[in-house]
Amino acid sequence: MRVLLVEDEARMAAAIVRGLTAEGFVVDHVADGQAGLEAARFGAYDVVVLDIMLPRMSGYTVVKTLRAEQVWVPVLLLTAKDGEYDEADGLDYGADDYLTKPFSFVVLVARLRALLRRDPAPRPAILRAGVVMLDPATHRVEVDGSEVALAPRELLLLEHLMRAHPAAVRKEDLLEKVWGDLDDANVVEVYIGYLRRKLGRARIETVRGVGYRMAP
């Protein structure tokens, strides 16, 4: 599997290349955003590992440009930022996953293998599931044409559900994506309840033994 690494920190890049090569990946490395964009456009990579803070062009701009050009290669963002809005921005622009530095190399490999198991899929600017519409860039949510106000974590939770639609999402995956290291699965149930009250109870289905999914 071919991996494009876009990372300007030389020591970190060398460590990632060395580790991924040992795991059987073929890795190309570039050190700035503009070079990363050009390589991702034309390099036929299976996955891109993309730092956010880069010379010449930010990782945000790289992934946003790729998606605007309908290049759907999976993108995993690496970021030194740890705010939920930074993570949400990356997903809004079209990234598939993210890791916050410092990170476990074992986790990086696991995340990459998970991305490689997926078929590259379009990440449209506007998400729809039945009568529910979400614009991730503006954080606007509508149900049957009427706008609904959601809190930041409610928005992030809804986005993960809608990006997976019509598939179900495991509760553990939602906990990891929305709350990070928090070890309390009950919080997912609580926020699913919040969303159901605001969107309509029938809009989010419980899949026993799995998790939750948006209704058709």
Side-chain angles (χ1 to χ4, degrees):
M1 293 294 182
R2 293 189 66 203
V3 178
L4 173 63
L5 172 64
V6 189
E7 170 60 67
D8 64 321
E9 296 181 25
R11 292 179 62 184
M12 174 169 286
I16 293 174
V17 170
R18 187 165 55 247
L20 291 181
T21 301
E23 291 289 332
F25 295 93
V26 176
V27 186
D28 292 338
H29 169 240
V30 296
D32 69 74
Q34 185 64 50
L37 176 62
E38 293 301 318
R41 277 171 169 161
F42 306 114
Y45 291 98
D46 296 294
V47 65
V48 177
V49 179
L50 177 66
D51 192 22
I52 289 179
M53 305 299 291
L54 291 166
R56 300 181 67 195
M57 181 182 292
S58 75
Y60 288 148
T61 303
V62 172
V63 71
K64 188 175 182 180
T65 302
L66 289 174
R67 298 319 187 214
E69 296 175 356
Q70 298 188 2
V71 178
W72 305 116
V73 59
V75 174
L76 185 149
L77 290 177
L78 300 179
T79 174
K81 300 180 178 182
D82 58 2
E84 64 187 48
Y85 289 104
D86 299 316
E87 296 161 359
D89 284 344
L91 296 174
D92 288 349
Y93 291 142
D96 298 89
D97 202 355
Y98 60 85
L99 276 178
T100 302
K101 299 177 183 178
F103 53 83
S104 162
F105 185 76
V106 172
V107 172
L108 171 62
V109 171
R111 294 282 185 86
L112 290 180
R113 294 198 189 283
L115 288 178
L116 290 167
R117 286 194 293 270
R118 306 179 193 171
D119 291 327
R123 295 180 64 84
I126 303 296
L127 304 176
R128 298 184 186 277
V131 299
V132 181
M133 183 281 292
L134 168 62
D135 181 345
T138 63
H139 302 157
R140 182 182 178 86
V141 177
E142 293 182 0
V143 177
D144 207 13
S146 298
E147 187 169 0
V148 177
L150 297 183
R153 286 196 192 273
E154 294 169 350
L155 279 165
L156 193 54
L157 179 59
L158 178 62
E159 182 175 349
H160 283 296
L161 289 169
M162 293 187 69
R163 287 201 184 280
H165 178 70
V169 186
R170 296 170 62 245
K171 184 188 297 185
E172 295 81 3
D173 292 339
L174 292 171
L175 180 65
E176 179 185 359
K177 295 293 187 184
V178 180
W179 287 273
D181 296 332
L182 182 64
D183 186 19
D184 181 6
N186 290 330
V187 72
V188 179
E189 298 177 12
V190 170
Y191 272 77
I192 289 290
Y194 293 160
L195 285 179
R196 283 173 168 161
R197 284 196 288 274
K198 293 183 177 182
L199 304 179
R201 180 160 295 276
R203 310 293 181 216
I204 301 175
E205 300 176 341
T206 299
V207 181
R208 292 190 180 278
V210 180
Y212 303 96
R213 70 182 172 203
M214 297 298 297

